[in-house]
Amino acid sequence: MRVPFYNFAKLHHAEFQKEILERFKEIVATNTFVEGKYNTQFEAEFAELQGAKHCLLLANGTDAIEIALQAHDIGHGDKVGVAAISFFASAEAVINRGAEVVFIDVDPKTGLIDPASLKKMLEVHKLKAIIPVHIYGLPAPIEELEKICKPLDIKIIEDGAQSQGGYYTNKKPIGSSNNIVTYSFYPTKNLGAFGDAGAVTAPTQELKDTMMSIRNHGRSPKGHALIGRNSRCDHMQAAVLQLKLRELNQQNEARKEIAKKYLESLAHLPVRLLDKKWADLSSWHLFPIGVESEAVKLKLRNHLTEKGIGSALFYEKSLPQEKPIQHCEGERKNADHFALTTFTIPMNPFLTDEDIALVSKEIENFFKNN
Ligand SMILES: *Cc1c(COP(=O)(O)O)cnc(C)c1O
């Protein structure tokens, strides 16, 4: 690959490897395998980064959504609105809670949940919660959604799996809202473990206590208080995350600079780009571009592959197009078209100016010849 999509070699540089191996030795020496000191340290630091009152480390990002739903007492017989562009887990978590998914359509330019579609769905469905997704790291319109949801007592659970270090507005980090936000630390995310891990941030002590109990078999200070699960986070994963957290801000800044350069160098081409207003807010987990049709998308991707440039389909299908959930109700017209015409080009903090120029040049070359 001339321009790789991810760059784990640079992410896990020699100095980092040295430090993490020291931590692993320490964990083995002290037999502190689950929920150790790095868990506690990370939870405090990550809550601060995201502007949240509380943070709890969990086993993965999908559990985080399920646990947030359970904390809001959502299960059998309840309906939950889910943004129609996301990773499968956003809908899967709802179904694994025994609840029903109602798809909410997205903004055709961004893939973010569309409040107008939510309003329309509320005319036909009684929703107990909604799951907006900060897709690609862009902030979903939480304030607007709150205006709709608050009077109807609809809970908002923000899927922030892609938005570590992202912002709603200039000074307000994702996580500083009045909602539970869920995160994934799958290795490819902006902040990734050496395997699976996830987290929630929570706005109140009560929600934190409930979710803390759920993650550890419903334990409370006086025995088991509820039916929970095991979603504890290994100490080794916490040690990795706590160490990597030091570099996250700097890496996100690098992503922003790369995004700005892409936005500039691709501006004259027939592609749909995100508006510049997102440049300093998004965590730029991914850099999506839209084209006119599925055929163009496939041809352009082939061209990039031939030239040694990584790319990926996030997402190949809208959620309502996925077989196990295609029976779910809701709205999805924009989402279907968005998935069909969108793909993502290399985005990682280690791309050089030469990499960016090469990717842009090859996209330009494609349109010259097609
Ligand atoms: C990665 C991701 C998840 C799932 O997280 P896991 O840690 O893989 O369980 C959920 N939602 C979105 C939007 C994601 O990108």
Side-chain angles (χ1 to χ4, degrees), residues 256-303:
K256 281 175 199 171
E257 291 314 308
I258 293 161
K260 285 177 193 172
K261 286 173 188 164
Y262 270 146
L263 289 176
E264 216 153 276
S265 63
L266 299 172
H268 65 294
L269 298 175
V271 292
R272 186 188 68 240
L273 298 172
L274 291 167
D275 194 281
K276 281 205 183 81
K277 71 176 179 189
W278 303 110
D280 287 315
L281 301 178
S282 179
S283 63
W284 294 105
H285 173 55
L286 293 163
F287 192 95
I289 66 178
V291 291
E292 179 195 319
S293 67
E294 186 185 26
V296 173
K297 176 183 81 177
L298 297 176
K299 272 177 84 175
L300 174 50
R301 274 202 76 206
N302 274 342
H303 174 76

mmCIF file of all heavy atoms in Angstrom, residues 256-303:
data_model
loop_
_atom_site.group_PDB
_atom_site.id
_atom_site.type_symbol
_atom_site.label_atom_id
_atom_site.label_comp_id
_atom_site.label_asym_id
_atom_site.label_seq_id
_atom_site.Cartn_x
_atom_site.Cartn_y
_atom_site.Cartn_z
ATOM 1 N N LYS A 256 -7.498 16.621 12.068
ATOM 2 C CA LYS A 256 -8.170 17.851 11.619
ATOM 3 C C LYS A 256 -7.394 18.527 10.508
ATOM 4 O O LYS A 256 -7.973 18.988 9.517
ATOM 5 C CB LYS A 256 -8.312 18.832 12.790
ATOM 6 C CG LYS A 256 -9.457 18.494 13.707
ATOM 7 C CD LYS A 256 -9.503 19.406 14.925
ATOM 8 C CE LYS A 256 -10.347 18.711 15.988
ATOM 9 N NZ LYS A 256 -10.300 19.398 17.284
ATOM 10 N N GLU A 257 -6.081 18.614 10.679
ATOM 11 C CA GLU A 257 -5.259 19.255 9.656
ATOM 12 C C GLU A 257 -5.322 18.477 8.347
ATOM 13 O O GLU A 257 -5.413 19.061 7.266
ATOM 14 C CB GLU A 257 -3.804 19.375 10.133
ATOM 15 C CG GLU A 257 -3.608 20.366 11.270
ATOM 16 C CD GLU A 257 -4.333 21.694 11.033
ATOM 17 O OE1 GLU A 257 -4.139 22.294 9.963
ATOM 18 O OE2 GLU A 257 -5.122 22.117 11.917
ATOM 19 N N ILE A 258 -5.322 17.165 8.448
ATOM 20 C CA ILE A 258 -5.406 16.326 7.252
ATOM 21 C C ILE A 258 -6.764 16.534 6.574
ATOM 22 O O ILE A 258 -6.849 16.712 5.353
ATOM 23 C CB ILE A 258 -5.187 14.839 7.620
ATOM 24 C CG1 ILE A 258 -3.740 14.628 8.085
ATOM 25 C CG2 ILE A 258 -5.536 13.925 6.442
ATOM 26 C CD1 ILE A 258 -3.519 13.348 8.880
ATOM 27 N N ALA A 259 -7.821 16.555 7.389
ATOM 28 C CA ALA A 259 -9.168 16.751 6.839
ATOM 29 C C ALA A 259 -9.249 18.085 6.101
ATOM 30 O O ALA A 259 -9.801 18.169 5.000
ATOM 31 C CB ALA A 259 -10.201 16.690 7.964
ATOM 32 N N LYS A 260 -8.669 19.126 6.706
ATOM 33 C CA LYS A 260 -8.726 20.450 6.065
ATOM 34 C C LYS A 260 -7.995 20.439 4.725
ATOM 35 O O LYS A 260 -8.442 21.048 3.755
ATOM 36 C CB LYS A 260 -8.113 21.505 6.986
ATOM 37 C CG LYS A 260 -9.023 21.868 8.155
ATOM 38 C CD LYS A 260 -8.334 22.862 9.092
ATOM 39 C CE LYS A 260 -9.117 22.951 10.397
ATOM 40 N NZ LYS A 260 -8.400 23.739 11.414
ATOM 41 N N LYS A 261 -6.875 19.734 4.688
ATOM 42 C CA LYS A 261 -6.114 19.662 3.429
ATOM 43 C C LYS A 261 -6.887 18.884 2.366
ATOM 44 O O LYS A 261 -6.929 19.284 1.205
ATOM 45 C CB LYS A 261 -4.737 19.026 3.681
ATOM 46 C CG LYS A 261 -3.803 19.985 4.399
ATOM 47 C CD LYS A 261 -2.501 19.327 4.802
ATOM 48 C CE LYS A 261 -1.694 20.296 5.686
ATOM 49 N NZ LYS A 261 -0.622 19.623 6.411
ATOM 50 N N TYR A 262 -7.487 17.779 2.775
ATOM 51 C CA TYR A 262 -8.340 17.022 1.831
ATOM 52 C C TYR A 262 -9.479 17.917 1.308
ATOM 53 O O TYR A 262 -9.772 17.946 0.111
ATOM 54 C CB TYR A 262 -8.985 15.836 2.532
ATOM 55 C CG TYR A 262 -8.236 14.511 2.516
ATOM 56 C CD1 TYR A 262 -8.332 13.654 3.612
ATOM 57 C CD2 TYR A 262 -7.509 14.074 1.412
ATOM 58 C CE1 TYR A 262 -7.704 12.415 3.635
ATOM 59 C CE2 TYR A 262 -6.874 12.835 1.418
ATOM 60 C CZ TYR A 262 -6.975 12.009 2.523
ATOM 61 O OH TYR A 262 -6.368 10.782 2.538
ATOM 62 N N LEU A 263 -10.143 18.618 2.244
ATOM 63 C CA LEU A 263 -11.303 19.444 1.851
ATOM 64 C C LEU A 263 -10.884 20.470 0.806
ATOM 65 O O LEU A 263 -11.630 20.760 -0.129
ATOM 66 C CB LEU A 263 -11.911 20.141 3.068
ATOM 67 C CG LEU A 263 -12.663 19.224 4.048
ATOM 68 C CD1 LEU A 263 -13.150 20.004 5.276
ATOM 69 C CD2 LEU A 263 -13.849 18.537 3.362
ATOM 70 N N GLU A 264 -9.675 21.011 0.971
ATOM 71 C CA GLU A 264 -9.182 21.994 0.025
ATOM 72 C C GLU A 264 -8.813 21.348 -1.317
ATOM 73 O O GLU A 264 -9.225 21.822 -2.371
ATOM 74 C CB GLU A 264 -7.950 22.671 0.618
ATOM 75 C CG GLU A 264 -7.854 24.121 0.277
ATOM 76 C CD GLU A 264 -7.073 24.846 1.353
ATOM 77 O OE1 GLU A 264 -7.673 25.224 2.383
ATOM 78 O OE2 GLU A 264 -5.848 24.977 1.170
ATOM 79 N N SER A 265 -8.061 20.263 -1.257
ATOM 80 C CA SER A 265 -7.528 19.702 -2.500
ATOM 81 C C SER A 265 -8.588 18.953 -3.316
ATOM 82 O O SER A 265 -8.385 18.708 -4.497
ATOM 83 C CB SER A 265 -6.327 18.793 -2.211
ATOM 84 O OG SER A 265 -6.732 17.700 -1.429
ATOM 85 N N LEU A 266 -9.716 18.602 -2.685
ATOM 86 C CA LEU A 266 -10.761 17.887 -3.432
ATOM 87 C C LEU A 266 -11.922 18.801 -3.826
ATOM 88 O O LEU A 266 -12.851 18.377 -4.515
ATOM 89 C CB LEU A 266 -11.303 16.718 -2.584
ATOM 90 C CG LEU A 266 -10.294 15.629 -2.193
ATOM 91 C CD1 LEU A 266 -10.921 14.648 -1.208
ATOM 92 C CD2 LEU A 266 -9.792 14.884 -3.436
ATOM 93 N N ALA A 267 -11.852 20.064 -3.385
ATOM 94 C CA ALA A 267 -12.999 20.973 -3.519
ATOM 95 C C ALA A 267 -13.475 21.151 -4.961
ATOM 96 O O ALA A 267 -14.667 21.335 -5.201
ATOM 97 C CB ALA A 267 -12.662 22.328 -2.909
ATOM 98 N N HIS A 268 -12.544 21.083 -5.936
ATOM 99 C CA HIS A 268 -12.920 21.364 -7.324
ATOM 100 C C HIS A 268 -13.427 20.122 -8.061
ATOM 101 O O HIS A 268 -13.724 20.180 -9.245
ATOM 102 C CB HIS A 268 -11.706 21.953 -8.064
ATOM 103 C CG HIS A 268 -10.564 20.989 -8.185
ATOM 104 N ND1 HIS A 268 -9.858 20.542 -7.088
ATOM 105 C CD2 HIS A 268 -10.018 20.363 -9.266
ATOM 106 C CE1 HIS A 268 -8.922 19.691 -7.483
ATOM 107 N NE2 HIS A 268 -9.001 19.557 -8.806
ATOM 108 N N LEU A 269 -13.509 19.002 -7.361
ATOM 109 C CA LEU A 269 -13.899 17.744 -8.031
ATOM 110 C C LEU A 269 -15.373 17.424 -7.799
ATOM 111 O O LEU A 269 -15.971 17.910 -6.833
ATOM 112 C CB LEU A 269 -13.018 16.603 -7.504
ATOM 113 C CG LEU A 269 -11.521 16.793 -7.789
ATOM 114 C CD1 LEU A 269 -10.703 15.705 -7.129
ATOM 115 C CD2 LEU A 269 -11.261 16.825 -9.297
ATOM 116 N N PRO A 270 -15.955 16.607 -8.684
ATOM 117 C CA PRO A 270 -17.392 16.297 -8.541
ATOM 118 C C PRO A 270 -17.649 15.265 -7.442
ATOM 119 O O PRO A 270 -18.164 14.178 -7.692
ATOM 120 C CB PRO A 270 -17.775 15.759 -9.927
ATOM 121 C CG PRO A 270 -16.524 15.171 -10.466
ATOM 122 C CD PRO A 270 -15.389 15.986 -9.895
ATOM 123 N N VAL A 271 -17.260 15.609 -6.220
ATOM 124 C CA VAL A 271 -17.511 14.723 -5.080
ATOM 125 C C VAL A 271 -18.236 15.507 -3.986
ATOM 126 O O VAL A 271 -18.093 16.729 -3.896
ATOM 127 C CB VAL A 271 -16.202 14.135 -4.497
ATOM 128 C CG1 VAL A 271 -15.556 13.174 -5.479
ATOM 129 C CG2 VAL A 271 -15.226 15.226 -4.087
ATOM 130 N N ARG A 272 -19.021 14.781 -3.195
ATOM 131 C CA ARG A 272 -19.725 15.418 -2.073
ATOM 132 C C ARG A 272 -18.811 15.360 -0.844
ATOM 133 O O ARG A 272 -18.439 14.286 -0.385
ATOM 134 C CB ARG A 272 -21.031 14.664 -1.790
ATOM 135 C CG ARG A 272 -21.931 15.320 -0.746
ATOM 136 C CD ARG A 272 -23.115 14.425 -0.377
ATOM 137 N NE ARG A 272 -22.671 13.243 0.330
ATOM 138 C CZ ARG A 272 -22.861 11.999 -0.079
ATOM 139 N NH1 ARG A 272 -23.496 11.737 -1.199
ATOM 140 N NH2 ARG A 272 -22.421 10.977 0.643
ATOM 141 N N LEU A 273 -18.429 16.554 -0.360
ATOM 142 C CA LEU A 273 -17.548 16.631 0.814
ATOM 143 C C LEU A 273 -18.331 17.217 1.981
ATOM 144 O O LEU A 273 -19.313 17.923 1.786
ATOM 145 C CB LEU A 273 -16.357 17.541 0.510
ATOM 146 C CG LEU A 273 -15.432 17.109 -0.621
ATOM 147 C CD1 LEU A 273 -14.415 18.210 -0.913
ATOM 148 C CD2 LEU A 273 -14.725 15.797 -0.278
ATOM 149 N N LEU A 274 -17.870 16.952 3.178
ATOM 150 C CA LEU A 274 -18.486 17.571 4.350
ATOM 151 C C LEU A 274 -18.164 19.054 4.351
ATOM 152 O O LEU A 274 -17.099 19.475 3.898
ATOM 153 C CB LEU A 274 -17.955 16.906 5.623
ATOM 154 C CG LEU A 274 -18.436 15.468 5.803
ATOM 155 C CD1 LEU A 274 -17.635 14.770 6.894
ATOM 156 C CD2 LEU A 274 -19.924 15.438 6.137
ATOM 157 N N ASP A 275 -19.090 19.846 4.871
ATOM 158 C CA ASP A 275 -18.894 21.281 4.967
ATOM 159 C C ASP A 275 -17.704 21.603 5.885
ATOM 160 O O ASP A 275 -17.446 20.889 6.856
ATOM 161 C CB ASP A 275 -20.164 21.908 5.535
ATOM 162 C CG ASP A 275 -20.174 23.407 5.359
ATOM 163 O OD1 ASP A 275 -19.500 24.107 6.147
ATOM 164 O OD2 ASP A 275 -20.837 23.875 4.420
ATOM 165 N N LYS A 276 -17.017 22.710 5.555
ATOM 166 C CA LYS A 276 -15.860 23.131 6.363
ATOM 167 C C LYS A 276 -16.223 23.411 7.813
ATOM 168 O O LYS A 276 -15.361 23.383 8.693
ATOM 169 C CB LYS A 276 -15.230 24.389 5.752
ATOM 170 C CG LYS A 276 -14.340 24.114 4.552
ATOM 171 C CD LYS A 276 -13.302 25.244 4.390
ATOM 172 C CE LYS A 276 -12.453 25.050 3.159
ATOM 173 N NZ LYS A 276 -13.140 25.503 1.913
ATOM 174 N N LYS A 277 -17.516 23.700 8.066
ATOM 175 C CA LYS A 277 -17.912 24.042 9.449
ATOM 176 C C LYS A 277 -17.659 22.884 10.418
ATOM 177 O O LYS A 277 -17.596 23.085 11.628
ATOM 178 C CB LYS A 277 -19.392 24.441 9.493
ATOM 179 C CG LYS A 277 -20.348 23.284 9.284
ATOM 180 C CD LYS A 277 -21.804 23.723 9.434
ATOM 181 C CE LYS A 277 -22.722 22.534 9.203
ATOM 182 N NZ LYS A 277 -24.122 22.862 9.122
ATOM 183 N N TRP A 278 -17.488 21.674 9.902
ATOM 184 C CA TRP A 278 -17.233 20.530 10.779
ATOM 185 C C TRP A 278 -15.758 20.377 11.119
ATOM 186 O O TRP A 278 -15.391 19.579 11.986
ATOM 187 C CB TRP A 278 -17.676 19.217 10.109
ATOM 188 C CG TRP A 278 -19.109 19.177 9.687
ATOM 189 C CD1 TRP A 278 -19.592 19.191 8.410
ATOM 190 C CD2 TRP A 278 -20.262 19.093 10.540
ATOM 191 N NE1 TRP A 278 -20.967 19.135 8.421
ATOM 192 C CE2 TRP A 278 -21.389 19.074 9.718
ATOM 193 C CE3 TRP A 278 -20.425 19.043 11.930
ATOM 194 C CZ2 TRP A 278 -22.690 19.003 10.227
ATOM 195 C CZ3 TRP A 278 -21.710 18.969 12.440
ATOM 196 C CH2 TRP A 278 -22.824 18.954 11.591
ATOM 197 N N ALA A 279 -14.910 21.132 10.416
ATOM 198 C CA ALA A 279 -13.462 20.847 10.468
ATOM 199 C C ALA A 279 -12.919 20.752 11.888
ATOM 200 O O ALA A 279 -12.173 19.842 12.208
ATOM 201 C CB ALA A 279 -12.691 21.873 9.655
ATOM 202 N N ASP A 280 -13.284 21.711 12.749
ATOM 203 C CA ASP A 280 -12.692 21.723 14.089
ATOM 204 C C ASP A 280 -13.546 20.999 15.127
ATOM 205 O O ASP A 280 -13.171 20.934 16.291
ATOM 206 C CB ASP A 280 -12.441 23.166 14.537
ATOM 207 C CG ASP A 280 -11.263 23.770 13.781
ATOM 208 O OD1 ASP A 280 -10.237 23.079 13.652
ATOM 209 O OD2 ASP A 280 -11.384 24.914 13.303
ATOM 210 N N LEU A 281 -14.701 20.475 14.713
ATOM 211 C CA LEU A 281 -15.582 19.794 15.681
ATOM 212 C C LEU A 281 -15.423 18.282 15.601
ATOM 213 O O LEU A 281 -15.356 17.592 16.621
ATOM 214 C CB LEU A 281 -17.051 20.154 15.405
ATOM 215 C CG LEU A 281 -17.402 21.641 15.467
ATOM 216 C CD1 LEU A 281 -18.875 21.854 15.133
ATOM 217 C CD2 LEU A 281 -17.089 22.221 16.843
ATOM 218 N N SER A 282 -15.368 17.767 14.396
ATOM 219 C CA SER A 282 -15.324 16.314 14.208
ATOM 220 C C SER A 282 -14.020 15.740 14.766
ATOM 221 O O SER A 282 -12.979 16.398 14.762
ATOM 222 C CB SER A 282 -15.416 15.986 12.716
ATOM 223 O OG SER A 282 -15.359 14.590 12.531
ATOM 224 N N SER A 283 -14.103 14.498 15.217
ATOM 225 C CA SER A 283 -12.878 13.789 15.610
ATOM 226 C C SER A 283 -12.240 13.131 14.383
ATOM 227 O O SER A 283 -11.205 12.502 14.479
ATOM 228 C CB SER A 283 -13.192 12.725 16.658
ATOM 229 O OG SER A 283 -14.065 11.759 16.099
ATOM 230 N N TRP A 284 -12.908 13.294 13.228
ATOM 231 C CA TRP A 284 -12.392 12.770 11.957
ATOM 232 C C TRP A 284 -11.930 11.318 12.091
ATOM 233 O O TRP A 284 -10.827 10.968 11.678
ATOM 234 C CB TRP A 284 -11.272 13.670 11.382
ATOM 235 C CG TRP A 284 -11.799 15.009 10.992
ATOM 236 C CD1 TRP A 284 -11.642 16.194 11.657
ATOM 237 C CD2 TRP A 284 -12.630 15.316 9.848
ATOM 238 N NE1 TRP A 284 -12.316 17.214 11.008
ATOM 239 C CE2 TRP A 284 -12.922 16.697 9.897
ATOM 240 C CE3 TRP A 284 -13.165 14.552 8.789
ATOM 241 C CZ2 TRP A 284 -13.728 17.334 8.944
ATOM 242 C CZ3 TRP A 284 -13.950 15.183 7.841
ATOM 243 C CH2 TRP A 284 -14.218 16.553 7.923
ATOM 244 N N HIS A 285 -12.816 10.504 12.657
ATOM 245 C CA HIS A 285 -12.526 9.070 12.695
ATOM 246 C C HIS A 285 -12.370 8.537 11.268
ATOM 247 O O HIS A 285 -11.487 7.733 10.979
ATOM 248 C CB HIS A 285 -13.657 8.340 13.421
ATOM 249 C CG HIS A 285 -13.548 6.856 13.371
ATOM 250 N ND1 HIS A 285 -12.418 6.197 13.795
ATOM 251 C CD2 HIS A 285 -14.399 5.900 12.931
ATOM 252 C CE1 HIS A 285 -12.591 4.887 13.623
ATOM 253 N NE2 HIS A 285 -13.771 4.684 13.094
ATOM 254 N N LEU A 286 -13.236 9.009 10.395
ATOM 255 C CA LEU A 286 -13.183 8.611 8.987
ATOM 256 C C LEU A 286 -13.362 9.855 8.124
ATOM 257 O O LEU A 286 -13.909 10.862 8.578
ATOM 258 C CB LEU A 286 -14.316 7.619 8.676
ATOM 259 C CG LEU A 286 -14.221 6.245 9.353
ATOM 260 C CD1 LEU A 286 -15.569 5.540 9.311
ATOM 261 C CD2 LEU A 286 -13.151 5.381 8.702
ATOM 262 N N PHE A 287 -12.912 9.767 6.873
ATOM 263 C CA PHE A 287 -13.119 10.869 5.927
ATOM 264 C C PHE A 287 -13.978 10.364 4.771
ATOM 265 O O PHE A 287 -13.492 9.708 3.850
ATOM 266 C CB PHE A 287 -11.785 11.418 5.400
ATOM 267 C CG PHE A 287 -11.950 12.712 4.668
ATOM 268 C CD1 PHE A 287 -11.778 13.925 5.323
ATOM 269 C CD2 PHE A 287 -12.327 12.717 3.323
ATOM 270 C CE1 PHE A 287 -11.963 15.135 4.648
ATOM 271 C CE2 PHE A 287 -12.521 13.927 2.639
ATOM 272 C CZ PHE A 287 -12.330 15.128 3.309
ATOM 273 N N PRO A 288 -15.291 10.632 4.847
ATOM 274 C CA PRO A 288 -16.200 10.130 3.809
ATOM 275 C C PRO A 288 -16.244 11.065 2.602
ATOM 276 O O PRO A 288 -16.142 12.283 2.749
ATOM 277 C CB PRO A 288 -17.558 10.136 4.522
ATOM 278 C CG PRO A 288 -17.460 11.247 5.513
ATOM 279 C CD PRO A 288 -16.002 11.348 5.920
ATOM 280 N N ILE A 289 -16.381 10.489 1.424
ATOM 281 C CA ILE A 289 -16.715 11.305 0.255
ATOM 282 C C ILE A 289 -17.856 10.634 -0.505
ATOM 283 O O ILE A 289 -17.977 9.417 -0.526
ATOM 284 C CB ILE A 289 -15.515 11.584 -0.679
ATOM 285 C CG1 ILE A 289 -14.998 10.328 -1.345
ATOM 286 C CG2 ILE A 289 -14.365 12.248 0.052
ATOM 287 C CD1 ILE A 289 -13.847 10.630 -2.310
ATOM 288 N N GLY A 290 -18.697 11.465 -1.068
ATOM 289 C CA GLY A 290 -19.854 10.961 -1.802
ATOM 290 C C GLY A 290 -19.676 11.192 -3.284
ATOM 291 O O GLY A 290 -19.026 12.162 -3.699
ATOM 292 N N VAL A 291 -20.196 10.280 -4.086
ATOM 293 C CA VAL A 291 -20.154 10.447 -5.535
ATOM 294 C C VAL A 291 -21.571 10.276 -6.082
ATOM 295 O O VAL A 291 -22.511 10.008 -5.336
ATOM 296 C CB VAL A 291 -19.175 9.452 -6.201
ATOM 297 C CG1 VAL A 291 -17.734 9.800 -5.847
ATOM 298 C CG2 VAL A 291 -19.482 8.024 -5.804
ATOM 299 N N GLU A 292 -21.676 10.420 -7.402
ATOM 300 C CA GLU A 292 -22.975 10.508 -8.049
ATOM 301 C C GLU A 292 -23.785 9.203 -7.986
ATOM 302 O O GLU A 292 -24.992 9.222 -7.834
ATOM 303 C CB GLU A 292 -22.667 10.902 -9.496
ATOM 304 C CG GLU A 292 -23.780 11.053 -10.428
ATOM 305 C CD GLU A 292 -23.200 11.059 -11.863
ATOM 306 O OE1 GLU A 292 -22.127 11.695 -12.056
ATOM 307 O OE2 GLU A 292 -23.790 10.423 -12.725
ATOM 308 N N SER A 293 -23.093 8.065 -8.078
ATOM 309 C CA SER A 293 -23.821 6.800 -8.150
ATOM 310 C C SER A 293 -22.968 5.671 -7.580
ATOM 311 O O SER A 293 -21.767 5.830 -7.388
ATOM 312 C CB SER A 293 -24.150 6.471 -9.614
ATOM 313 O OG SER A 293 -22.940 6.199 -10.303
ATOM 314 N N GLU A 294 -23.618 4.534 -7.387
ATOM 315 C CA GLU A 294 -22.886 3.370 -6.891
ATOM 316 C C GLU A 294 -21.812 2.946 -7.901
ATOM 317 O O GLU A 294 -20.696 2.561 -7.524
ATOM 318 C CB GLU A 294 -23.840 2.210 -6.631
ATOM 319 C CG GLU A 294 -23.138 1.031 -5.980
ATOM 320 C CD GLU A 294 -24.024 -0.190 -5.802
ATOM 321 O OE1 GLU A 294 -24.997 -0.354 -6.572
ATOM 322 O OE2 GLU A 294 -23.733 -0.977 -4.883
ATOM 323 N N ALA A 295 -22.158 3.043 -9.200
ATOM 324 C CA ALA A 295 -21.202 2.633 -10.238
ATOM 325 C C ALA A 295 -19.923 3.465 -10.153
ATOM 326 O O ALA A 295 -18.810 2.930 -10.226
ATOM 327 C CB ALA A 295 -21.846 2.770 -11.616
ATOM 328 N N VAL A 296 -20.067 4.775 -9.986
ATOM 329 C CA VAL A 296 -18.887 5.644 -9.875
ATOM 330 C C VAL A 296 -18.098 5.283 -8.618
ATOM 331 O O VAL A 296 -16.865 5.214 -8.635
ATOM 332 C CB VAL A 296 -19.306 7.139 -9.856
ATOM 333 C CG1 VAL A 296 -18.105 8.026 -9.564
ATOM 334 C CG2 VAL A 296 -19.953 7.535 -11.180
ATOM 335 N N LYS A 297 -18.821 5.025 -7.539
ATOM 336 C CA LYS A 297 -18.145 4.667 -6.279
ATOM 337 C C LYS A 297 -17.254 3.433 -6.479
ATOM 338 O O LYS A 297 -16.084 3.434 -6.090
ATOM 339 C CB LYS A 297 -19.203 4.391 -5.199
ATOM 340 C CG LYS A 297 -18.635 3.908 -3.875
ATOM 341 C CD LYS A 297 -19.717 3.574 -2.849
ATOM 342 C CE LYS A 297 -20.297 2.190 -3.094
ATOM 343 N NZ LYS A 297 -21.293 1.809 -2.063
ATOM 344 N N LEU A 298 -17.811 2.409 -7.103
ATOM 345 C CA LEU A 298 -17.059 1.160 -7.271
ATOM 346 C C LEU A 298 -15.862 1.360 -8.197
ATOM 347 O O LEU A 298 -14.764 0.868 -7.938
ATOM 348 C CB LEU A 298 -17.982 0.055 -7.796
ATOM 349 C CG LEU A 298 -19.129 -0.317 -6.833
ATOM 350 C CD1 LEU A 298 -20.056 -1.359 -7.462
ATOM 351 C CD2 LEU A 298 -18.608 -0.821 -5.484
ATOM 352 N N LYS A 299 -16.080 2.131 -9.285
ATOM 353 C CA LYS A 299 -14.982 2.365 -10.231
ATOM 354 C C LYS A 299 -13.866 3.193 -9.600
ATOM 355 O O LYS A 299 -12.683 2.919 -9.796
ATOM 356 C CB LYS A 299 -15.507 3.099 -11.484
ATOM 357 C CG LYS A 299 -16.013 2.133 -12.555
ATOM 358 C CD LYS A 299 -16.597 2.864 -13.742
ATOM 359 C CE LYS A 299 -15.535 3.302 -14.738
ATOM 360 N NZ LYS A 299 -16.149 3.914 -15.946
ATOM 361 N N LEU A 300 -14.255 4.207 -8.859
ATOM 362 C CA LEU A 300 -13.251 5.064 -8.218
ATOM 363 C C LEU A 300 -12.466 4.272 -7.168
ATOM 364 O O LEU A 300 -11.240 4.396 -7.059
ATOM 365 C CB LEU A 300 -13.939 6.286 -7.593
ATOM 366 C CG LEU A 300 -13.084 7.253 -6.755
ATOM 367 C CD1 LEU A 300 -11.819 7.681 -7.481
ATOM 368 C CD2 LEU A 300 -13.893 8.503 -6.382
ATOM 369 N N ARG A 301 -13.161 3.431 -6.421
ATOM 370 C CA ARG A 301 -12.463 2.598 -5.429
ATOM 371 C C ARG A 301 -11.472 1.655 -6.113
ATOM 372 O O ARG A 301 -10.359 1.465 -5.629
ATOM 373 C CB ARG A 301 -13.466 1.771 -4.625
ATOM 374 C CG ARG A 301 -14.041 2.493 -3.442
ATOM 375 C CD ARG A 301 -14.568 1.508 -2.420
ATOM 376 N NE ARG A 301 -13.504 0.893 -1.658
ATOM 377 C CZ ARG A 301 -13.586 -0.303 -1.081
ATOM 378 N NH1 ARG A 301 -14.681 -1.021 -1.201
ATOM 379 N NH2 ARG A 301 -12.584 -0.781 -0.390
ATOM 380 N N ASN A 302 -11.902 1.063 -7.217
ATOM 381 C CA ASN A 302 -10.989 0.191 -7.974
ATOM 382 C C ASN A 302 -9.750 0.941 -8.418
ATOM 383 O O ASN A 302 -8.630 0.436 -8.306
ATOM 384 C CB ASN A 302 -11.697 -0.357 -9.229
ATOM 385 C CG ASN A 302 -12.479 -1.605 -8.906
ATOM 386 O OD1 ASN A 302 -12.244 -2.243 -7.873
ATOM 387 N ND2 ASN A 302 -13.425 -1.956 -9.757
ATOM 388 N N HIS A 303 -9.967 2.147 -8.920
ATOM 389 C CA HIS A 303 -8.846 2.970 -9.371
ATOM 390 C C HIS A 303 -7.878 3.205 -8.219
ATOM 391 O O HIS A 303 -6.660 3.048 -8.378
ATOM 392 C CB HIS A 303 -9.370 4.297 -9.941
ATOM 393 C CG HIS A 303 -8.287 5.257 -10.301
ATOM 394 N ND1 HIS A 303 -7.523 5.120 -11.435
ATOM 395 C CD2 HIS A 303 -7.811 6.354 -9.653
ATOM 396 C CE1 HIS A 303 -6.623 6.097 -11.475
ATOM 397 N NE2 HIS A 303 -6.785 6.860 -10.402
#
